[in-house]
Amino acid sequence: MIFASTSNIGLIRKENQDALGYLKTDSGELFVVCDGVSGLPNGALASKTVVDSILAVFSSNTKGRPEIQVQTAMQKAQNAVMNTNPKPLGTTAVAVYLLEGTAYAGWCGDSRIYHFRDHDIRWMSRDHNVLHDILNKGGSRGSIFLNPQALNRFFGSEFEVKSEFYSFIVEPGDQILLCSDGLSNFLMEPDIIHAITNNSPQDASELMERKLLTEEIGAPDNFTWYIIQI
C-alpha cells in the first residue's frame, strides 16, 4: 500500500482549518481528515482536537473488533471537542482504518470518503447536510432550501450527533480518497476520478492541487486529502 497527502490553505482563506493524521498500528493503518466548520472562530482547534483524539484512541488500544475501535474513536473525538474551549467551534471528520483487506470507515459532516475500483467510484460516503437529507427523505419543508449545503451534523455542535459507519473490502489496485470539501466542492467528479485512477497517489495529489490553484478555480477553500492505493 502506498499513499500521498496534502493540506493547503488555498488562495482565499486566511487560516487553514483542516487537519490530517496518520497512524500505523501493530495490525493496520489509520487515516483521518478533518475540516473546521466555516463561520465558527475556532475551527482549526476543533479539527486538530479530533485528529489527535482519534489517533490517541488507536495508539492506546489496537485490540478488539476494528469496527468497534472506529466507533469508539469517533465518539471519544466528539466528546473531546465538546469539552474543548474556547467556543464556539466545530469540525467535520472522516476516518478509515485499513486492516487485513477491509476498510473500516466512519464520518460526520461533509468531508468525504471515496472508494475507487476499475476507474470508477465503487462507494462514497453521504454528506451530512440539508441537501442530502432532502434527497434521502424525498421531501422538504418550507425554508429548508435556504442553505442546502448547511451542515446538520458535525463535532462540536451543542448536542451530540451520530456518526455513520461503513466497511468495505479492498483489493490490490483499489484507491481510497479521504478529503475535505475544499476538493469535492470545487473539482468536478470526473476530474477527481481520472486523476486518482490513472496516476500514482503522489502524481494524482500534485495534479489535483495544481488544478485547484489555477486562476479558473482559485482554491476558495482550504483543501486536504489522503490518496491511498492498495
Side-chain angles (χ1 to χ4, degrees):
M1 182 174 67
I2 57 174
F3 65 89
S5 65
T6 193
S7 188
N8 193 302
I9 193 173
L11 298 177
I12 303 296
R13 299 293 174 90
K14 296 181 179 180
E15 179 185 31
N16 188 353
Q17 294 192 342
D18 291 357
L20 77 173
Y22 165 77
L23 177 69
K24 184 175 179 61
T25 72
D26 292 339
S27 51
E29 295 182 67
L30 173 69
F31 300 84
V32 185
V33 169
C34 295
D35 178 3
V37 175
S38 298
L40 298 181
N42 301 296
L45 174 62
S47 62
K48 184 178 186 304
T49 298
V50 168
V51 169
D52 290 347
S53 177
I54 292 175
L55 296 184
V57 170
F58 274 82
S59 295
S60 62
N61 181 18
T62 59
K63 297 180 180 179
R65 292 168 54 190
E67 61 269 29
I68 301 300
Q69 288 180 271
V70 174
Q71 292 171 19
T72 299
M74 294 288 280
Q75 181 61 57
K76 288 188 175 182
Q78 178 170 197
N79 293 340
V81 174
M82 295 181 73
N83 291 325
T84 296
N85 289 301
K87 291 182 173 58
L89 76 171
T91 184
T92 68
V94 293
V96 169
Y97 185 48
L98 291 163
L99 174 65
E100 297 177 348
T102 301
Y104 299 90
W107 73 98
C108 184
D110 61 358
S111 291
R112 288 185 181 175
I113 306 165
Y114 293 80
H115 175 208
F116 301 93
R117 180 178 295 165
D118 297 329
H119 300 274
D120 199 7
I121 295 175
R122 188 70 176 261
W123 174 81
M124 182 181 72
S125 57
R126 297 177 298 179
D127 295 347
H128 294 145
N129 60 23
V130 170
L131 176 60
H132 278 71
D133 265 7
I134 293 170
L135 297 175
N136 291 334
K137 294 176 181 177
S140 63
R141 297 192 305 275
S143 61
I144 201 168
F145 287 107
L146 289 177
N147 187 2
Q149 299 297 331
L151 290 173
N152 51 24
R153 288 191 230 179
F154 61 90
F155 290 170
S157 61
E158 295 180 358
F159 51 89
E160 288 193 17
V161 296
K162 290 183 178 180
S163 299
E164 283 196 71
F165 303 95
Y166 184 75
S167 62
F168 52 92
I169 302 299
V170 291
E171 299 178 356
D174 286 4
Q175 298 93 4
I176 299 172
L177 168 68
L178 292 75
C179 68
S180 63
D181 66 355
L183 171 65
S184 56
N185 280 352
F186 301 104
L187 198 61
M188 298 294 291
E189 190 171 276
D191 291 332
I192 295 175
I193 296 172
H194 185 269
I196 291 177
T197 62
N198 288 281
N199 296 279
S200 68
Q202 186 61 47
D203 288 346
S205 186
E206 293 174 0
L207 175 61
M208 294 194 304
E209 185 170 14
R210 287 197 302 270
K211 286 188 174 182
L212 287 169
L213 293 172
T214 59
E215 184 176 347
E216 179 183 3
I217 297 177
D221 195 1
N222 311 148
F223 56 86
T224 298
W225 58 70
Y226 278 109
I227 303 171
I228 308 156
Q229 182 173 308
I230 306 301

